[in-house]
Amino acid sequence: MQSCFQNTHAPSCSYTIPVRSQHQSQLYRSHPRNNSYCSPAPARLSQQQQRIAASKLVANSATLTRNVETSLPDLKVQQPAGTADKVGVLLLNLGGPETLDDVEHFLFNLFNDPDIIRLPGQAKFLQPLLAYTLSKLRAPKSSEGYKAIGGGSPLRRITDEQAAALQEALRSKGQNADVYVAMRYWYPFTEEALEKIKKDNVTRLVVLPLYPQFSISTSGSSLRLLEESFKNDPQLQQLPHTVIASWYQRRGYVTAMADLIQQSLQQFQEQDEVEIFFSAHGVPVSYVEEAGDPYKEEMEQCISLIMQELQRRSISNHHTLAYQSRVGPVEWLQPYTDVTIRELGAKGVHSLLAVPVSFVSEHIETLEEIDMEYRELAHESGIQNWGRVPALNTNPTFIGDLAEAVLEALPYVGSMAGSNPGDAMVPLGDVQSLLETYDRDRRVLPPPIVPWQWGWTKSAETWNGRIAMLAIVVILLLEVTTGHGMLSHWPYDEWTR
């Protein structure tokens, strides 16, 4: 796909993202952009279409030029008389246990999220029980991982540093704003950040998930929590806000990633022979094929843009994309990272540069899973030379681009209220509009119950799972009634091998 950087005043080209399969709705349309990657659209939009698209400002749009802005309606939000304009930016992230004692509680919060473990409607009441059981079983192994990286996750510290850097970058660009951190599964929780925002009397809010690509299991989960909070709080209901749902295609992000890859390649003696290995966090296939998650498409498009930028710098190494961190018996996005590393070693690859592409901060999946587990696996597979690109953290190019994204979004805070954001799967708009768009376009999941069939079938697997769940319920009830911990002697050693 041909790429270009636009730096003109007229929207001379549009960026088209491939449309998904027919059973899913049309997700993206071309939108005018400036100062970003773009490729020629199949057909040029009319002026009226350009104005409509620009006014909606989808999440992957870049700066609108002054010439385009002059043709748009006035989108400035009118503040109540006597109210000073106070801008806030809310960073959304996963969170992580800060000590080993926090691990089990963190895992419970994670597994208790219905966007992480999706149970059928009639079984949703089992979510807390399932979360309790899974957190008990997985805590020992997870604790080993956190112990290996120093006894806890550095995610909160790094996210706080990113917030401070973003606040400073905004001020250097002439925009005073307070930046808040909201973690989904650990402190500071989203509810805490919202209370600070209310206390500080923020009048305009930009919500910025720290996930470059949108997924229902990451950005989507945090946004659903925000939606619930906004619906139940009269003060938040009156707060004009907008969401930058994904930003993987922004020029600054792509440039920062290419910079780090280019720098990391220099540690190899034969740079041209190095396999650039993008490792992204995986999601279950059902999220993409049945629930309509755009994550896979956005990830593939992100890799394409990064490689185009590297090729522009005369770096044409072979590259691979794989997905890590799968858990459970269900099928996840493939190819899997561990399987792919073995295959690359069998093919004679001797040098590999791992690129954690879906992570912008160092945490357990980069520091332990990639740096330790996958590095050891690579050496066992015959890959002699190993390198890993660091996470972006507070990279100045990256932080500066996030600041630009916030500045571009500010004129449109609150402008999506009451409008139809159906032109994009992940539009830049208020939380409710964004989630309504996603929920309207997603497919209804197939019935979880099918008639009993003999043999090694999905029906048998379903009933086996139900029997296992019933057994867990019985065990827990016995523990409560007898006071004896029947799982206290569970062979954890077997699970942690």
Side-chain angles (χ1 to χ4, degrees), residues 9-11 47 50-51 54-55 64-75 411-412:
H9 290 289
Q47 292 183 354
Q50 289 177 357
R51 287 195 295 270
S55 66
L64 292 175
T65 62
R66 292 186 177 182
N67 284 359
V68 177
E69 287 176 355
T70 57
S71 65
L72 297 176
D74 184 6
L75 298 178
Y412 300 88

Side-chain angles (χ1 to χ4, degrees), residues 115-130:
D115 281 317
I116 297 297
I117 296 182
R118 305 168 68 233
L119 297 178
Q122 64 271 33
K124 287 187 180 298
F125 72 95
L126 292 174
Q127 187 99 35
L129 179 59
L130 181 61

Side-chain angles (χ1 to χ4, degrees), residues 95-206:
E98 298 176 64
T99 69
L100 296 181
D101 292 335
D102 300 333
V103 172
E104 185 176 321
H105 302 290
F106 166 78
L107 291 176
F108 175 85
N109 294 336
L110 178 70
F111 295 135
N112 199 39
D113 181 0
D115 281 317
I116 297 297
I117 296 182
R118 305 168 68 233
L119 297 178
Q122 64 271 33
K124 287 187 180 298
F125 72 95
L126 292 174
Q127 187 99 35
L129 179 59
L130 181 61
Y132 172 83
T133 304
L134 291 177
S135 60
K136 283 284 186 183
L137 294 177
R138 292 186 62 86
K141 181 173 178 60
S142 294
S143 296
E144 290 180 5
Y146 284 108
K147 184 177 181 180
I149 64 172
S153 172
L155 192 58
R156 178 174 183 175
R157 172 182 58 80
I158 295 174
T159 307
D160 286 340
E161 293 171 355
Q162 291 171 328
L166 177 58
Q167 184 167 302
E168 180 60 31
L170 287 168
R171 289 179 178 173
S172 69
K173 297 175 182 294
Q175 177 62 63
N176 289 325
D178 290 336
V179 181
Y180 305 85
V181 172
M183 298 297 191
R184 182 63 179 90
Y185 305 114
W186 203 245
Y187 300 100
F189 289 112
T190 302
E191 296 84 352
E192 299 176 56
L194 292 176
E195 286 300 318
K196 290 182 180 179
I197 289 171
K198 291 164 54 180
K199 183 179 179 180
D200 292 345
N201 295 317
V202 170
T203 59
R204 287 191 293 161
L205 181 67
V206 176

